[in-house]
Amino acid sequence: QEQVVESGGGLVESGGTLRLSCATGGRISSIYNMGWYRQAPGKQRELVASMTYDGSRHYTDSVKDRFTVSRNNARNRVYLQMNSLKPEDTAIYYCNIIDGRSGRSYWGQGTQVTVSS
């Protein structure tokens, strides 16, 4: 059973919106810290947005004011709202979860986001 599953990716036109979701499995008791990463073809994986246990958020400069990370602690889910999407946002988006009890890091399989010009 996968412990982290991303969903919500797809094909959207430039300027469009998508909302990514990250669901967690039974081994993850609570979300301590989390991050959304992306990897475009031929590029290294980069951190796009993160949220710590106390709600502090961080965004890479290229997505500030366009992306918003949030979490639902009761459901152990995290989200990435992506507005004003650009072709350069095209990538596979991954969710990373740090379990609050074990401290283990979990990765999902990723969800493809494609933004057409």
Side-chain angles (χ1 to χ4, degrees):
Q1 179 186 7
E2 297 294 335
Q3 296 304 306
V4 175
V5 179
E6 303 95 339
S7 62
L11 173 63
V12 65
E13 292 184 348
S14 182
T17 65
L18 285 173
R19 187 186 190 220
L20 304 184
S21 297
C22 176
T24 61
R27 292 183 186 175
I28 297 176
S29 62
S30 64
I31 298 172
Y32 186 64
N33 293 339
M34 65 77 50
W36 283 100
Y37 292 73
R38 68 185 179 188
Q39 187 166 19
K43 295 187 178 181
Q44 290 188 334
R45 189 173 297 191
E46 66 168 341
L47 177 62
V48 175
S50 62
M51 178 180 282
T52 60
Y53 66 96
D54 61 356
S56 296
R57 296 175 174 88
H58 169 82
Y59 301 94
T60 192
D61 287 345
S62 63
V63 307
K64 282 180 180 177
D65 300 323
R66 298 189 299 121
F67 290 10
T68 302
V69 60
S70 61
R71 59 197 286 172
N72 182 323
N73 289 330
R75 299 185 66 188
N76 262 6
R77 290 197 174 200
V78 293
Y79 306 95
L80 185 67
Q81 178 68 39
M82 305 187 295
N83 299 329
S84 303
L85 282 162
K86 304 175 181 180
E88 50 264 43
D89 294 319
T90 295
I92 299 175
Y93 284 71
Y94 299 90
C95 177
N96 176 251
I97 300 292
I98 307 298
D99 178 40
R101 183 169 60 187
S102 67
R104 284 190 61 184
S105 173
Y106 293 89
W107 288 91
Q109 294 298 309
T111 184
Q112 176 71 48
V113 171
T114 303
V115 185
S116 63
S117 58

